[in-house]
Structure formats: C-alpha cells, structure tokens
Amino acid sequence: MYSFMGGGLFCAGVGNILLVVSTATDYWMQYRHSGNFMHQGLWRYCVPGKCYIHTDSVAYWDATRAFMILSLLACFIGIVIGIMAFTHYSSFNRFDKTFAAGILYFTSCIFVLLAMAIYTGVTVNYYGKRYGNWRFSWSYIIGWVAVVLTFFAGIFYMCAYRMHESPRSPAPR
C-alpha cells in the first residue's frame, strides 16, 4: 500500500511541478514570422528581444488558463491530502484520505486534459489553416506529460485505497 502511495506522491509532485512550468512559460507554440522565430505562451507572446502580454481576451486562452490553474490547485490539494494519508494524520476521520487524494489527482488530470484539448483544437484549426511554419513547443509538451503523471498518480492512490479497503483474507486451513 505504501509503495503505491509513494509512487503516487512522486508522480503527483513531478506532475505539479510540470504543471507550474507549463502554465508559466512562454513556449507553447513557436512560429516564423518575417524571417524571425517567435513564440507564445498562455500569458505572453515574444518577438526577438521583447515579450508582450496578451492584451486580447481570446476565449480559448482564457479557458486554457482557467483549466490549467484549476488543475494546479487540484493537484496541490491532492498532494497535501496524500501526504496526510501517507503519514496517518487523522484530523479528518469522516473520509478516506487515500481515496480523496486519488479523486483529486483524477480531477487534476481531467482539467489539464481539457486545457490541452482546447488549446490543441483551436491552435491546429486556426494556425494550421493560415500559417505553414509553426509548431508546438516544449511548454505544450510538458503539459501533456503532466496529464500522464497526474493520471498515474490517481491510479496509484486508487490501488492503495483498494489494498487498504480489501485486506488479504487469511489462507484456508
């Protein structure tokens, strides 16, 4: 049970770090414009030597930002509850902390999956038809890695919950 919880905490911790990096950095997409490489993230777009804040309130950027922030919060709260379950901290006796942490990791996974799907769909549909020389960059890829890690954190915690809920029956005599 503790090995599943440890694996879940490791995946969730790394996933949460990757979510922060992915959300905060400006390399979701790179493109060539007027002979220069430019890049943009959820908050800013950068031309060689200077970055500017996105001033337009584009719906898909707002939705992607919101889902990424919700994913960060769900994963962080899941880590706190997961650590409490790991150390047997018993201030919450009404619910199983292992199950709650697993649900929060799955919720985080769903939120980041929604963010990535929205960004991917709109970007491919818009830039794919208008520009030929663009690509997704490393911040975007880190977001997809965070989807996988938060999913596996949820799986590990649900396995730990199942092991705790159904202890092995003694061998028949």
Side-chain angles (χ1 to χ4, degrees):
M1 177 173 96
Y2 289 113
S3 60
F4 281 123
M5 291 170 68
L9 276 176
F10 177 76
C11 286
V14 172
N16 203 32
I17 291 168
L18 293 181
L19 283 170
V20 168
V21 170
S22 177
T23 303
T25 54
D26 299 325
Y27 285 89
W28 279 61
M29 185 181 67
Q30 291 181 325
Y31 52 95
R32 184 182 282 281
H33 184 67
S34 301
N36 294 320
F37 279 110
M38 301 179 171
H39 54 91
Q40 74 177 17
L42 299 178
W43 311 99
R44 302 183 313 170
Y45 65 96
C46 300
V47 297
K50 185 91 169 139
C51 291
Y52 303 95
I53 294 175
H54 288 295
T55 55
D56 337 348
S57 181
V58 179
Y60 85 99
W61 280 333
D62 292 341
T64 305
R65 291 174 191 152
F67 282 126
M68 290 298 282
I69 291 169
L70 288 172
S71 176
L72 276 164
L73 291 174
C75 191
F76 180 75
I77 294 168
I79 289 171
V80 170
I81 293 175
I83 290 171
M84 287 174 21
F86 198 77
T87 60
H88 295 298
Y89 183 71
S90 61
S91 67
F92 302 111
N93 293 327
R94 303 289 297 170
F95 71 98
D96 192 310
K97 291 177 281 301
T98 309
F99 182 76
I103 292 297
L104 282 167
Y105 296 143
F106 283 132
T107 303
S108 176
C109 178
I110 294 294
F111 284 150
V112 73
L113 183 64
L114 284 170
M116 300 307 290
I118 289 168
Y119 189 85
T120 302
V122 174
T123 301
V124 167
N125 192 28
Y126 180 75
Y127 287 100
K129 293 180 179 177
R130 287 171 181 78
Y131 304 104
N133 199 5
W134 67 275
R135 65 180 181 182
F136 292 114
S137 193
W138 60 269
S139 297
Y140 173 82
I141 294 166
I142 286 175
W144 280 109
V145 172
V147 170
V148 174
L149 287 172
T150 55
F151 177 75
F152 279 113
I155 292 290
F156 284 145
Y157 262 81
M158 285 302 163
C159 288
Y161 171 72
R162 292 295 297 165
M163 286 182 71
H164 179 70
E165 281 296 305
S166 56
R168 294 184 182 172
S169 58
R173 295 180 187 197

